[in-house]
Amino acid sequence: PNNSVAFLTEDEYPRPDELQSAKDGPEINSAIRRTPPVIVGSSFLADSLKASWKIDAAVLPVTVDIDRYVQNSPQHRRFISMLQPYTHKGIDLVLQLADAMPERTFRIPGGIGENYRRNKPAILSRHNIIHSQFIPAPQEIYNESFLVLVPSLWNEAYSRVVIEAL
């Protein structure tokens, strides 16, 4: 018996019309179908998988135990923050907000890759943005922020940043 489970957290599997060759479609379809059940992180992903591959997936709801988190007092929450400073994650909108609100302090940690390197000069040019190195575990930023911006411009399964920031 097959004891495996496929858990998809992103909408990044190939679509039938995106495959490089006709032989790839049946192979991918067969691989997904050989891994019952398929579990996804949101109804968006379930709908996407159904539309692309006619596969039903169970949605595993994300739960957050709020009793495990400590909130800082309001005076410690002084930043408007954004993680993942990439174009597809909405950095251009955050830069516009920083320009429109020069009296507010924004905090944006570094990123990785070419898209980040293209955006970095614009981030550094704002006097009201505190920029730091890439932070793999951003609890400090969440604790110091009174607002975390997540203006993503692409279809996402769910935003882990929103859940973490809660």
Side-chain angles (χ1 to χ4, degrees):
N2 186 351
N3 293 327
S4 60
V5 171
F7 180 60
L8 304 176
T9 59
E10 297 290 336
D11 187 29
E12 294 183 358
Y13 47 83
R15 304 294 189 278
D17 59 340
E18 296 172 342
L19 298 173
Q20 293 180 1
S21 69
K23 67 178 179 62
D24 291 337
E27 182 178 323
I28 291 171
N29 197 357
S30 175
I32 293 173
R33 289 183 187 285
R34 283 193 314 263
T35 313
V38 176
I39 301 171
V40 294
S42 71
S43 57
F44 170 82
L45 270 179
D47 294 344
S48 176
L49 195 60
K50 180 77 169 179
S52 294
W53 291 103
K54 310 293 186 260
I55 293 173
D56 291 315
V59 177
L60 179 66
V62 178
T63 60
V64 176
D65 181 5
I66 61 172
D67 294 330
R68 294 182 59 198
Y69 296 88
V70 177
Q71 291 186 2
N72 285 345
S73 60
Q75 65 266 27
H76 290 100
R77 294 181 173 270
R78 59 188 188 274
F79 299 121
I80 298 173
S81 300
M82 177 197 187
L83 280 75
Q84 303 180 351
Y86 307 109
T87 303
H88 65 282
K89 293 289 190 172
I91 186 62
D92 294 331
L93 295 170
V94 174
L95 294 175
Q96 289 175 22
L97 284 172
D99 291 342
M101 301 185 330
E103 73 285 357
R104 296 288 190 177
T105 303
F106 289 72
R107 183 163 182 196
I108 301 174
I112 56 175
E114 178 59 32
N115 187 265
Y116 165 68
R117 287 190 291 277
R118 279 195 310 269
N119 290 314
K120 187 175 180 180
I123 295 167
L124 294 174
S125 71
R126 272 56 177 201
H127 75 280
N128 61 335
I129 294 179
I130 295 174
H131 185 272
S132 61
Q133 65 185 17
F134 174 77
I135 300 174
Q139 295 89 343
E140 175 188 327
I141 292 176
Y142 297 140
N143 287 335
E144 295 179 344
S145 300
F146 69 89
L147 180 62
V148 176
L149 302 173
V150 188
S152 184
L153 301 175
W154 71 323
N155 290 330
E156 295 198 53
Y158 64 91
S159 175
R160 188 183 77 213
V161 171
V162 171
I163 294 165
E164 289 175 348
L166 287 173

